[in-house]
Amino acid sequence: MEQKVLTLKGTDTEVVLKIADCTEILYWGEAFESHSENEEQTLSRAIPYGRLDTDIPMTLSPELGRGLFSSPALEGHRNGQHWAPVFVNQSVEQEGDLLTIEATDAQAGLKLISELSLDKNDVVKVRHTLKNEMSGPYSVNRLASTLPLPERAKELLTYYGRWVNEFQQTRTLLTQGGYQQENRRGRTSHEHYPAFIAGTKGFDELHGESWGFHLAWSGNHRMRVDVKADGRRFMQAEALYLPGEIVLEQGESISTPWLYATYSENGLNQMSHHFHQHVRDSILGDRMADKPRPVHLNTWEGIYFEHDPAYIMDMATQSAEMGVERFIIDDGWFRNRNGDKAALGDWYLDEGKYPEGLDKIVEHVNDSGMEFGLWFEPEMINKDSDLYRAHPEWLLAVDGYEQPTGRNQYAINLQIDEAFDYLFERLDHFLSAYNIAYIKWDMNREIVQPGHNGFASGHRQIERYYELVDKLMAKHPQVEIESCAAGGGRIDYEVLKRTMRFWASDNNDALERQQIQRGMSYFFPPEVMGCHIGARHCHSTRRTHDINFRGLTALFGHMGIELDPVKESEHEKGGFVKYIELHKQLRPLLHSGKGVRFETDDEAHLAYGVIGTDQQEAVIMIAQLAMPTNSLSSTLRIPGLLAGAHYKITLLDSPENFNDIVNRQPLWTEQPVICSGDWLAKAGIAVPVLDPETAVLIKLEKIS
Ligand code: DGJ
């Protein structure tokens, strides 16, 4: 194909591509003021001795057959042949911000379609589709998306975690070699959240260049960064296929998941703004535009499996009095579900527990001014269930092997049409029979042997899960779904296309939540982050926290309460009312503005805030996580406001003992102080003295 240089433009960034026989990203970074003809020639590389005799571009889809000794984007074969294809571009089309490039390898009988876009929020999206155009099955071992990184991307921020400890971060130096993470747990996973961030040395919230990547896929994946022996570097992300699971017959195709990426010139906050805005504009779209996120009361940690309708109605009454807007009955409502060992799959109301049905409760919840929500775990089955007794063959398994259980349960093979239809029918029944506004869709085990007719089938299982949700949503578009997988085990952009809330973690300990939510905030805006005020005595860590710390920690996200209000003291209930009220007041700002993770001088502090898009107001929480290092707690600089405008600083909330633990707190906490945005960014405000595991909330309002 004749060589073309094409530019994709975002708002602050751009991507320049050289498209000839193959496609190379020449540049991805800060936007240029203008372009002149042939300027890409400045990047034409040397051809050193001791290597191949021609220049080998680092393409959008690296191929061994082209002489690129890197991790190939496609690995596959046709009965041992056609294992090193070389694709030659045939056509390029640009429609809006989407570029589509079609390439073929006629000898191998394969077509590769690459789609790449850069939107106004500066988010790059890329995916590839491989089509078998020749007779004879083509086995695909790998199909990855690849994006280049410059040599100055010398550090990597990656995620690790586990149940009740999601979104933990660590840093690695990108010198020689590289980094690889593989997820084989069959769901997005707590352990290998499918994202990482590369950056220049020492990149932080405000400084340094950073390149963020997120793979939108809820199953097994592989993500890597390679530092090539010649110094060039690139990242790659793919759905990880199990042996033999992707075989394309003639005419069939397979697509990679979408890979989302963004470049930020000014540290991680700017990277998050790009991703958050993209989530709002393009992933959530108008699905929740006009609806403030309703405050939840979830029954789980309040009553677990002890369901008594009269008592639940009491809980609902008290929830409504506290200002709750959506009441959710969690696990324990269906036939024989008295603990976590039995009944998954039997999606029939437990008439022993609910002899008068659910109607009365739903009506009561609705009459109290709240929406009603119900918990399901559709993809799962207990061996002790009527469903298993009737259909032992519905297990997602490989015959002849006994796989370990997870939370005493197994997964259902969604590739069996009868199983899929049964689950659809059961969910559809409840959504049709009752006024259900929301489903908490749980998934509590990892997938060990995703077998279908003896073949590996983990990838298809995930596609069928998406299909099941999509089919339900098409029939019940008014219902909102929360994605939960034992807390934060299924949090990714592909799920978010069909859900509106994530249960970030089963850990309701406010201290742990400060870190978990901060980790999640790099890629997700607060309105999709389920954050609950739990009981004073936390169930997952046995720590005790006052309502101030619990309330402020849950304040910014999609807020909820998770406890039994009937058993709470008047003092505690007063606290719930206060923080629900505060949340409702601030909600329009919190769920539309720019989230900012502030840099603090003392690691014992975490500061997070939201600045309105028009920079008229901001709300900031300073949390004291541990003993402060020094007796004076330094200053917090607050960038992001209008330099020339003046703002009034007000203390909105503080712990009960705030003034008892010092002779005097900083002056601004006692009386409103006014200063410029410039002053706030450069000089900042004195941080109050706080006890560990407490927090303050500050409001900044522009004065005219
Ligand atoms: C795990 C979830 O993360 C919890 O919130 C709760 O819904 C339980 N499952 C119920 O079994």
Side-chain angles (χ1 to χ4, degrees):
M1 217 178 92
E2 205 186 311
Q3 182 180 307
K4 282 187 184 147
V5 175
L6 281 182
T7 298
L8 295 176
K9 284 187 184 292
T11 300
D12 297 324
T13 66
E14 66 182 63
V15 174
V16 181
L17 300 111
K18 183 160 112 184
I19 306 178
D21 277 353
C22 57
T23 307
E24 186 181 10
I25 293 186
L26 290 179
Y27 175 85
W28 171 30
E30 200 185 342
F32 296 100
E33 283 179 14
S34 63
H35 284 287
S36 50
E37 221 179 310
N38 298 331
E39 62 192 352
E40 75 283 353
Q41 288 175 359
T42 64
L43 299 176
S44 170
R45 285 170 290 263
I47 303 178
Y49 287 136
R51 292 163 54 93
L52 298 178
D53 294 332
T54 45
D55 175 57
I56 309 292
M58 184 58 236
T59 62
L60 202 54
S61 194
E63 295 150 314
L64 183 61
R66 209 174 265 285
L68 198 66
F69 303 114
S70 303
S71 163
L74 167 63
E75 283 184 291
H77 64 97
R78 191 188 306 280
N79 200 15
Q81 308 282 307
H82 305 157
W83 49 273
V86 177
F87 289 92
V88 177
N89 286 339
Q90 304 297 326
S91 66
V92 189
E93 270 177 34
Q94 195 167 0
E95 215 184 295
D97 60 14
L98 180 69
L99 200 65
T100 306
I101 305 163
E102 282 200 14
T104 53
D105 178 337
Q107 188 171 327
L110 297 170
K111 180 187 270 186
L112 188 68
I113 302 162
S114 306
E115 294 162 277
L116 182 88
S117 67
L118 173 67
D119 75 354
K120 64 175 193 311
N121 295 313
D122 294 302
V123 170
V124 171
K125 255 173 73 179
V126 60
R127 97 172 155 182
H128 301 274
T129 300
L130 179 74
K131 192 168 177 202
N132 178 13
E133 302 203 306
M134 198 179 257
S135 68
Y138 193 81
S139 304
V140 186
N141 299 352
R142 291 183 62 198
L143 184 62
S145 295
T146 311
L147 287 172
L149 282 165
E151 209 172 318
R152 61 189 188 280
K154 292 205 188 301
E155 285 184 18
L156 199 62
L157 185 161
T158 60
Y159 287 89
Y160 68 97
R162 63 176 171 88
W163 176 64
V164 297
N165 197 30
E166 295 85 345
F167 290 105
Q168 305 301 308
Q169 301 132 63
T170 185
R171 293 249 182 169
T172 322
L173 275 186
L174 275 178
T175 47
Q176 299 300 324
Y179 166 85
Q180 176 165 288
Q181 86 175 28
E182 278 189 359
N183 172 35
R184 294 172 182 271
R185 290 171 183 265
R187 60 181 177 190
T188 317
S189 92
H190 303 75
E191 287 77 5
H192 310 290
Y193 168 62
F196 55 58
I197 304 158
T200 46
K201 254 191 188 160
F203 69 103
D204 62 23
E205 299 296 350
L206 290 168
H207 310 100
E209 292 173 277
S210 62
W211 294 261
F213 303 94
H214 175 102
L215 185 71
W217 179 243
S218 314
N220 295 335
H221 72 254
R222 184 181 290 118
M223 290 184 75
R224 55 191 290 156
V225 178
D226 282 54
V227 179
K228 284 167 59 62
D230 61 21
R232 288 181 291 180
R233 49 195 68 198
F234 64 93
M235 67 76 58
Q236 229 166 31
E238 68 206 84
L240 186 152
Y241 308 142
L242 297 172
E245 84 170 310
I246 308 294
V247 179
L248 304 177
E249 297 298 335
Q250 185 171 15
E252 287 183 345
S253 59
I254 175 94
S255 295
T256 63
W258 283 104
L259 170 66
Y260 293 77
T262 195
Y263 164 78
S264 154
E265 196 196 337
N266 299 310
L268 293 162
N269 279 316
Q270 192 185 62
M271 178 205 79
S272 295
H273 299 158
H274 294 169
F275 280 129
H276 291 188
Q277 235 9 78
H278 180 83
V279 164
R280 286 172 175 163
D281 292 347
S282 306
I283 295 187
L284 296 170
D286 53 13
R287 278 188 290 150
M288 60 194 207
D290 303 325
K291 185 168 173 183
R293 304 292 73 222
V295 175
H296 283 194
L297 183 298
N298 181 294
T299 58
W300 179 240
E301 290 195 352
I303 55 170
Y304 292 105
F305 296 101
E306 299 290 319
H307 289 213
D308 166 2
Y311 194 81
I312 288 181
M313 289 210 267
D314 248 11
M315 290 173 79
T317 309
Q318 302 214 12
S319 303
E321 284 167 10
M322 288 170 357
V324 167
E325 297 163 308
R326 186 185 274 163
F327 185 84
I328 295 107
I329 299 187
D330 207 281
D331 197 356
W333 59 267
F334 50 101
R335 228 178 248 173
N336 296 326
R337 184 68 169 171
N338 301 315
D340 66 8
K341 293 198 169 48
L344 283 175
D346 296 345
W347 301 110
Y348 295 87
L349 186 69
D350 188 331
E351 283 155 3
K353 286 183 188 167
Y354 294 88
E356 293 177 48
L358 260 191
D359 294 286
K360 240 172 106 177
I361 298 183
V362 179
E363 267 166 39
H364 175 70
V365 166
N366 290 162
D367 291 347
S368 311
M370 298 181 292
E371 294 182 351
F372 179 77
L374 200 57
W375 179 95
F376 287 90
E377 195 178 356
E379 301 144 82
M380 293 294 152
I381 187 165
N382 287 118
K383 281 202 172 170
D384 185 1
S385 68
D386 291 342
L387 187 68
Y388 180 77
R389 283 180 280 274
H391 291 291
E393 77 284 5
W394 284 6
L395 238 53
L396 184 68
V398 180
D399 283 350
Y401 294 94
E402 188 58 42
Q403 54 172 299
T405 51
R407 207 191 185 204
N408 312 302
Q409 65 200 51
Y410 296 86
I412 294 176
N413 183 353
L414 301 178
Q415 295 144 92
I416 298 175
D417 288 341
E418 298 75 33
F420 182 97
D421 294 345
Y422 164 79
L423 292 173
F424 177 79
E425 187 280 323
R426 284 292 78 211
L427 283 149
D428 178 40
H429 161 78
F430 280 94
L431 297 182
S432 307
Y434 305 100
N435 188 21
I436 294 177
Y438 152 98
I439 290 180
K440 179 172 170 189
W441 187 305
D442 209 343
M443 198 268 199
N444 280 299
R445 69 154 296 168
E446 295 157 327
I447 306 297
V448 175
Q449 277 179 319
H452 178 55
N453 298 332
F455 293 96
S457 210
H459 191 269
R460 188 73 191 120
Q461 175 77 4
I462 305 299
E463 290 178 335
R464 289 293 273 173
Y465 153 67
Y466 294 148
E467 280 169 38
L468 184 58
V469 185
D470 290 346
K471 192 167 172 191
L472 270 170
M473 287 305 93
K475 181 138 187 227
H476 302 279
Q478 77 290 354
V479 176
E480 292 187 11
I481 298 187
E482 169 164 22
S483 171
C484 170
R490 189 150 66 186
I491 297 182
D492 61 75
Y493 285 174
E494 195 55 40
V495 181
L496 192 55
K497 289 174 189 165
R498 33 191 68 79
T499 55
M500 287 153 88
R501 189 186 207 249
F502 290 117
W503 185 223
S505 176
D506 273 353
N507 197 337
N508 283 325
D509 176 324
L511 181 61
E512 303 296 330
R513 274 289 185 140
Q514 285 282 341
Q515 300 286 10
I516 293 169
Q517 292 169 191
R518 193 173 175 96
M520 186 170 165
S521 78
Y522 286 94
F523 290 84
F524 295 93
E527 62 268 30
V528 300
M529 200 186 290
C531 302
H532 292 178
I533 301 180
R536 184 177 159 77
H537 192 62
C538 172
H539 293 202
S540 41
T541 61
R542 264 70 62 186
R543 279 196 194 102
T544 297
H545 289 128
D546 283 347
I547 184 61
N548 153 265
F549 194 48
R550 285 178 289 145
L552 290 189
T553 302
L555 191 84
F556 286 74
H558 183 168
M559 194 192 202
I561 311 271
E562 186 169 334
L563 39 73
D564 176 2
V566 180
K567 295 213 172 67
E568 294 292 332
S569 67
E570 286 311 311
H571 178 262
E572 280 287 290
K573 277 196 264 193
F576 307 148
V577 172
K578 170 178 159 187
Y579 288 99
I580 290 175
E581 190 43 47
L582 189 57
H583 171 77
K584 286 181 185 171
Q585 262 173 37
L586 299 173
R587 183 165 55 188
L589 166 67
L590 300 177
H591 293 176
S592 69
K594 282 186 172 184
V596 182
R597 293 171 301 267
F598 295 99
E599 293 287 355
T600 53
D601 296 339
D602 187 346
E603 280 184 5
H605 294 127
L606 271 196
Y608 176 77
V610 175
I611 300 178
T613 43
D614 54 6
Q615 294 158 297
Q616 300 291 304
E617 53 177 351
V619 179
I620 298 164
M621 168 184 54
I622 306 176
Q624 179 82 49
L625 303 189
M627 245 340 240
T629 310
N630 301 310
S631 43
L632 285 176
S633 286
S634 187
T635 49
L636 180 75
R637 290 185 297 164
I638 305 174
L641 294 160
L642 295 166
H646 282 81
Y647 295 86
K648 183 172 86 176
I649 313 171
T650 321
L651 181 68
L652 276 191
D653 190 50
S654 59
E656 272 177 29
N657 66 359
F658 187 59
N659 288 309
D660 304 339
I661 56 171
V662 282
N663 282 322
R664 206 199 72 184
Q665 289 287 11
L667 187 67
W668 65 263
T669 67
E670 289 169 9
Q671 64 188 60
V673 167
I674 290 170
C675 64
S676 69
D678 199 25
W679 179 268
L680 285 166
K682 292 174 180 158
I685 61 171
V687 174
V689 173
L690 293 167
D691 280 339
E693 297 163 43
T694 63
V696 291
L697 190 73
I698 305 160
K699 176 127 202 210
L700 300 167
E701 281 163 292
K702 181 170 168 283
I703 51 168
S704 42

